[in-house]
Amino acid sequence: MSGRGGGAGSALTWAVLREVKCAELEQAADGWGRVSNRADAARDRIVGQFLPGLGETQKGEAVGAAVGRLRRLGTNFQYIYTECGLLRTTLNSLAHEIKTQQRVLEGALDDAEALKFTVHANGSVTYPAAGEGLIDGKPLAGGTTSGVPNPGMVTPSGLVAPNPNAGKAQDIADRVAQAVRTAADADWRYTRILRSLKAHEGLGVPAATWTDAAADAEAVRDAARGYLKNAIPHDASPAERKAWWAGLTDEQREEYLAVYPDQIGNLDGIPALVRDAANRDNLQLLMGKLEGRDDDDSATKLAALREIDRQLRVVPKAGEPPMYLLGIGDQGNGRAIVSYGNPDTSRNVAAYVPGLNTSLDKAFAEGDLKRARDLSIAANQHGEPSAAITWLGYDAPQSPDGLGTLAVAVGGRAEEGGLAFGEFMSGIEAANDHNDPHLTAIGHSYGSRTVGAATQQPGGIPGVDEIVFVGSPGVGVESADELGVGRDHVFVGAASNDVVTKIPSTEQTVLGASEMLFGGPAAAYLFGDLADRGDDDVWFGKDPASEAFGARRFQVGDGPTIIANGKLNVDAHSQYFDPDIDRTSVENMGLIAAGHANRIKREESR
């Protein structure tokens, strides 16, 4: 093969192809796999044992320096794990492709031997005389034919050789040529990949190294498509994906994690610990990928990824929920799914869907993730283990003027997001260790419209027992009875000064003038309210906090007044999850998430 010094293409003959020892390639792959696994184990030991031990037992500047060096060492081991894992899969994939062509070749050679044909060193095939001549009845002369690597690309001549052996010989020659050509192409492709899998000099792993690693991973993914990716059950149900993962060997799992962390980490139904491990590795590759770009969108997402990476490296203190990265990606406005608490082992799991103007930026990484963390802490005060998730698995509408106009918030994004959210919750239910986990869906702002859309999918939101809406401009239905869990399991928090919960529908605004001219929710509320006081319709249908809707309204803080210092103030819309500002709201949602909704503080419907 070319990796041993020869050229690709022309240097490969069928005799060489037949003698290639694929077992040696697989043994080499196993060796790189062992190195990858050892690096992974060393990284886990640093992160799971050394760093927490230092923080708990030692103090002082020397400790800070040691922590910094240990983190650097952990990053180095992570890079070794990634690159060695890519090497393993590259060699295994090459062996897979070569063995496939060896089988094609062996089949052709066996057929030639059975027919007493001769296959020459150059791949041509000689066949004997056969048949009967039309004039003298004697056998028709034999001959020699050469193969065509891609016979389907050759235009038929319209002439048929009279010797019946000629067509059989041509078929054998074509199969031999095709096997050799395909194997040579594979040899050439994998040689290029193997030559690119090399580290920079020195002990550091700077951002540029991860940029190269991202390119390496992409090359190996493309090459290993037939070997690994085609087997990933993207179109299966979450339960079937869970069963698929459970049925793999340890070696197969290691390869999928090393080469396709982006696929495995975002596959609903896969265990949370596996998704977390895959996404932590993919996070490094994503940061490396975005480091190589200079556009504003990449810079915004990179800042968010760096903040998430920073948080993942923080060792949680006693009593704090551990952080699990269940999804990450740079597609669209960005994707990030983070759980505080293990959603597989927790009896109670709540998933929060953010709304308008949410995207993968630093504000999301700092603010929206903290909302799930605080909710997890509140829920875990009530007995059984609880996990809380921030789910950014869709493209929320983006308004250029901050909270801005809801004119951009039409239902299409909610329908797409609702479908994805339903699949995610199905995966949470499938992967959970409990037979009947207690699941809660929470929608804030436009996220409540997304949760509402998810309930309208066939079968509703899989496994969900409770639904919570806060700061909702409507959820797309007219009654809590339409949400699939029963009105006694639908809960609403609406601050008296949250204008978003009072924005009237366009029919209640003066021909929609407030939205068109002023563009803001506060203006829409003020003008719309003047247009039709007492109406219980809001932007996306019936007001969830109204008596007509039929949900259970719980107490939340009033929030700042709508007019402050002569200006419109919409801060009340974003304070439902902040225990320092609105502890009543957070505690009520914590009780619902923990399965103790009977203990919430109630408030009268509007």
Side-chain angles (χ1 to χ4, degrees), residues 154-276:
V154 179
T155 303
S157 65
L159 300 176
V160 179
N163 186 330
N165 283 331
K168 298 175 183 177
Q170 185 65 57
D171 174 67
I172 291 171
D174 288 345
R175 286 150 63 194
V176 170
Q178 182 180 13
V180 171
R181 172 63 181 273
T182 304
D185 285 346
D187 182 40
W188 178 76
R189 283 187 287 110
Y190 285 101
T191 296
R192 294 182 64 193
I193 293 172
L194 288 168
R195 286 173 179 167
S196 71
L197 292 173
K198 56 184 179 181
H200 291 281
E201 294 183 2
L203 298 177
V205 182
T209 302
W210 281 111
T211 300
D212 288 345
D216 293 341
E218 190 63 34
V220 175
R221 289 170 192 166
D222 288 342
R225 192 177 304 275
Y227 172 57
L228 283 178
K229 185 178 180 182
N230 289 348
I232 299 176
H234 292 287
D235 296 330
S237 69
E240 290 169 335
R241 293 168 183 164
K242 179 183 179 181
W244 167 76
W245 184 260
L248 297 176
T249 65
D250 289 342
E251 291 76 13
Q252 288 172 322
R253 292 174 187 167
E254 290 162 4
E255 287 202 84
Y256 279 114
L257 285 171
V259 181
Y260 293 108
D262 58 327
Q263 304 286 328
I264 301 303
N266 291 283
L267 200 61
D268 296 321
I270 299 298
L273 288 175
V274 175
R275 293 181 70 164
D276 178 64

Side-chain angles (χ1 to χ4, degrees), residues 3-338:
R4 299 181 179 180
S10 60
L12 186 64
T13 66
W14 67 263
V16 172
L17 173 59
R18 184 176 60 180
E19 299 304 319
V20 172
K21 294 180 174 59
C22 290
E24 294 182 358
L25 290 172
E26 292 169 333
Q27 288 172 3
D30 290 342
W32 286 111
R34 286 191 293 273
V35 175
S36 178
N37 291 340
R38 287 173 182 171
D40 191 35
R43 176 189 59 177
D44 287 346
R45 191 175 181 187
I46 289 171
V47 174
Q49 296 180 26
F50 292 168
L51 287 175
L54 274 176
E56 293 172 1
T57 62
Q58 305 294 323
K59 303 293 181 183
E61 294 184 5
V63 175
V67 167
R69 292 188 178 186
L70 280 173
R71 284 179 175 163
R72 175 181 174 183
L73 183 60
T75 300
N76 290 357
F77 277 127
Q78 184 169 15
Y79 175 70
I80 293 170
Y81 160 78
T82 298
E83 290 290 288
C84 290
L86 294 176
L87 277 163
R88 170 183 52 198
T89 299
T90 299
L91 292 170
N92 275 334
S93 187
L94 172 59
H96 169 78
E97 292 198 30
I98 295 301
K99 284 194 292 186
T100 299
Q101 299 313 314
Q102 284 179 326
R103 288 193 292 269
V104 173
L105 174 64
E106 290 296 336
L109 295 178
D110 289 345
D111 288 348
E113 183 178 6
L115 292 167
K116 308 300 183 185
F117 293 178
T118 301
V119 181
H120 301 284
N122 63 359
S124 62
V125 179
T126 296
Y127 55 93
E132 296 181 356
L134 295 176
I135 298 176
D136 56 12
K138 295 181 179 181
L140 298 169
T144 299
T145 185
S146 296
V148 179
N150 299 300
M153 302 295 291
V154 179
T155 303
S157 65
L159 300 176
V160 179
N163 186 330
N165 283 331
K168 298 175 183 177
Q170 185 65 57
D171 174 67
I172 291 171
D174 288 345
R175 286 150 63 194
V176 170
Q178 182 180 13
V180 171
R181 172 63 181 273
T182 304
D185 285 346
D187 182 40
W188 178 76
R189 283 187 287 110
Y190 285 101
T191 296
R192 294 182 64 193
I193 293 172
L194 288 168
R195 286 173 179 167
S196 71
L197 292 173
K198 56 184 179 181
H200 291 281
E201 294 183 2
L203 298 177
V205 182
T209 302
W210 281 111
T211 300
D212 288 345
D216 293 341
E218 190 63 34
V220 175
R221 289 170 192 166
D222 288 342
R225 192 177 304 275
Y227 172 57
L228 283 178
K229 185 178 180 182
N230 289 348
I232 299 176
H234 292 287
D235 296 330
S237 69
E240 290 169 335
R241 293 168 183 164
K242 179 183 179 181
W244 167 76
W245 184 260
L248 297 176
T249 65
D250 289 342
E251 291 76 13
Q252 288 172 322
R253 292 174 187 167
E254 290 162 4
E255 287 202 84
Y256 279 114
L257 285 171
V259 181
Y260 293 108
D262 58 327
Q263 304 286 328
I264 301 303
N266 291 283
L267 200 61
D268 296 321
I270 299 298
L273 288 175
V274 175
R275 293 181 70 164
D276 178 64
N279 285 315
R280 287 176 187 248
D281 293 327
N282 190 42
L283 177 62
Q284 303 302 317
L285 297 175
L286 278 174
M287 288 192 294
K289 172 185 172 183
L290 297 179
E291 284 278 3
R293 300 177 178 177
D294 58 3
D295 58 285
D296 291 341
D297 181 64
S298 296
T300 297
K301 291 173 180 173
L302 181 59
L305 296 179
R306 285 174 174 165
E307 173 58 22
I308 292 173
D309 182 56
R310 184 196 68 77
Q311 293 181 34
L312 287 168
R313 295 174 187 273
V314 175
V315 179
K317 297 178 182 178
E320 293 184 348
M323 185 177 176
Y324 296 85
L325 189 58
L326 302 183
I328 197 72
D330 64 341
Q331 64 267 43
N333 294 331
R335 302 286 187 269
I337 305 171
V338 176

Side-chain angles (χ1 to χ4, degrees), residues 370-371 373-375 377-378 381 574-587 589:
K370 183 178 182 297
R371 291 177 174 183
R373 182 179 181 275
D374 289 336
L375 181 60
I377 292 172
Q381 294 175 352
S574 59
Q575 296 179 358
Y576 295 96
F577 296 88
D578 192 330
D580 295 327
I581 298 176
D582 194 348
R583 177 165 294 278
T584 299
S585 175
V586 175
E587 288 181 347
M589 285 192 286

